[in-house]
Amino acid sequence: MKCKRCKAPAEVELRQHNAGFCRACFIFYFQRQVERAIAKERMLVPEESVLVAVSGGKDSLALWDVLIELGYRTTGLHLSLGIGAYSDHSTAKTVAFAEQRGLPLITVSLAEQGLAVPDIAGLTRRPACSACGTMKRHYFDQLAIDRGFPVVATGHNLDDEAARLLGNVLHWQMEHLARQRPVLQPTHERFVRKVKPLFRCSEYETAVYAFMRGISYVVDECPNAAGATQLLYKELLNRLEAESPGSKLTFVQEFLHKAQPALTPAAVEPPQTCTGCGMPSYGELCGFCRLVRETDIRRARRQAAGRA
Ligand code: AMP
Ligand code: ZN
């Protein structure tokens, strides 16, 4: 197969586009895809400072790399989640990436705040992924607001979005479907815009891009993700994609074009202000502060029981 752009021997075949690319042209193609997604969905304006949420995995590091190449002013935000060796490796990869390129990076260690994900999940008996999601949402908004960033970019890719869409459709989660967009505008002065510039790039394309750009990333999945329903949906979609290339892109793209505009988010009261942390909340305390409070109470009880 020959490269679609320059006719040199192709190194990557993209079956969903019925095209092959050599290394240089694939890098160009990938960056153009992201550039177009940003422009079409009006995710970012050139002079804005973007806070990039970086996990140390291929998607968010590839995203950071592309945003730099496209000329955006960026700062990385990494949450060290306290999930054993997995988190240590993730943090090391993120720090190395930022140092090699001289990029600003904010790192927050949850373990140092007594909020390591396995601890809060164990103490409050919540699923680790749910506790982890609450922490991420809170810190992404809070740090963006405190440091003056109008927007947070995450590395969610096409496979993530297709799997989430399948889950939402299987359960007809109308409110989640109404909010499943590549750009989410803030609904409160202490929320910021969230954007997903890689939403049209498949996991495979992102992995190839990271490899071709020499990005060193954490390959392991989060140990908590094993058996997660999201992985089953991804497997199913991969089977569909193998039989019918382009299925994932059509599924997500046509949803956004045809179904999404017909869904209006349910009229909910605007959020109040959390009395614990000042962030938006539906109730006196936000989800994060409830989780922290519950953790503190159970930890104190456990310590008291240990002393008795
Ligand atoms: P996940 O929820 O693991 O599928 O990750 C989705 C996106 O959230 C990633 O592409 C990152 O942009 C962001 N993210 C995930 N984990 C972290 C983390 N520990 N620190 C900062 N950003 C993260
Ligand atoms: Zn709060």
Side-chain angles (χ1 to χ4, degrees), residues 188-268:
H188 184 283
E189 59 181 16
R190 286 187 71 80
F191 276 149
V192 299
R193 184 173 2 117
K194 312 282 168 27
V195 299
K196 302 172 187 172
L198 302 188
F199 82 103
R200 300 185 74 238
C201 306
S202 71
E203 195 161 320
Y204 173 72
E205 289 171 300
T206 312
V208 171
Y209 180 81
F211 171 76
M212 287 186 169
R213 294 285 294 165
I215 296 171
S216 175
Y217 58 86
V218 179
V219 179
D220 306 339
E221 282 278 351
C222 171
N224 295 328
T229 332
Q230 207 73 354
L231 290 186
L232 172 62
Y233 296 157
K234 283 190 177 175
E235 258 173 60
L236 292 170
L237 288 160
N238 281 338
R239 282 181 55 191
L240 195 59
E241 184 76 22
E243 290 294 322
S244 171
S247 299
K248 284 181 214 170
L249 190 57
T250 307
F251 185 42
V252 170
Q253 204 158 263
E254 296 306 294
F255 162 71
L256 291 172
H257 285 165
K258 295 181 182 154
Q260 231 274 337
L263 300 166
T264 37
V268 283

Side-chain angles (χ1 to χ4, degrees), residues 53-55 59-60 77-79 81 136 140 154-156:
V54 207
S55 64
D59 304 304
S60 46
L77 165 60
H78 174 72
L79 297 185
L81 302 166
K136 283 182 195 155
F140 289 176
T154 57
H156 293 97

Side-chain angles (χ1 to χ4, degrees), residues 89-307:
H89 293 155
S90 308
T91 304
K93 294 287 183 194
T94 309
V95 169
F97 180 94
E99 277 178 358
Q100 276 160 15
R101 291 164 172 78
L103 300 169
L105 172 68
I106 302 167
T107 303
V108 177
S109 163
L110 297 190
E112 275 173 18
Q113 310 191 24
L115 295 174
V117 167
D119 295 351
I120 46 172
L123 284 164
T124 62
R125 297 206 182 94
R126 292 196 206 192
C129 297
S130 135
C132 189
T134 303
M135 308 302 276
K136 283 182 195 155
R137 282 190 294 277
H138 173 82
Y139 282 103
F140 289 176
D141 276 304
Q142 189 175 51
L143 282 152
I145 291 285
D146 289 351
R147 311 276 181 124
F149 293 91
V151 55
V152 172
T154 57
H156 293 97
N157 60 35
L158 176 63
D159 294 51
D160 296 326
E161 292 308 294
R164 183 201 291 226
L165 179 57
L166 182 59
N168 285 341
V169 166
L170 284 174
H171 300 100
W172 291 112
Q173 303 261 34
M174 299 311 280
E175 282 186 27
H176 292 188
L177 285 166
R179 287 175 48 80
Q180 186 171 347
R181 280 183 245 138
V183 183
L184 273 185
Q185 298 296 342
T187 53
H188 184 283
E189 59 181 16
R190 286 187 71 80
F191 276 149
V192 299
R193 184 173 2 117
K194 312 282 168 27
V195 299
K196 302 172 187 172
L198 302 188
F199 82 103
R200 300 185 74 238
C201 306
S202 71
E203 195 161 320
Y204 173 72
E205 289 171 300
T206 312
V208 171
Y209 180 81
F211 171 76
M212 287 186 169
R213 294 285 294 165
I215 296 171
S216 175
Y217 58 86
V218 179
V219 179
D220 306 339
E221 282 278 351
C222 171
N224 295 328
T229 332
Q230 207 73 354
L231 290 186
L232 172 62
Y233 296 157
K234 283 190 177 175
E235 258 173 60
L236 292 170
L237 288 160
N238 281 338
R239 282 181 55 191
L240 195 59
E241 184 76 22
E243 290 294 322
S244 171
S247 299
K248 284 181 214 170
L249 190 57
T250 307
F251 185 42
V252 170
Q253 204 158 263
E254 296 306 294
F255 162 71
L256 291 172
H257 285 165
K258 295 181 182 154
Q260 231 274 337
L263 300 166
T264 37
V268 283
E269 291 282 308
Q272 302 154 239
T273 300
C274 172
T275 53
C277 69
M279 296 298 284
S281 66
Y282 293 95
E284 200 191 317
L285 286 179
C286 71
F288 169 79
C289 286
R290 282 202 303 271
L291 195 59
V292 172
R293 191 161 287 190
E294 208 178 313
T295 304
D296 288 346
I297 291 172
R298 295 198 183 215
R299 192 174 270 145
R301 267 195 217 144
R302 201 170 270 194
Q303 278 164 359
R307 277 197 299 271

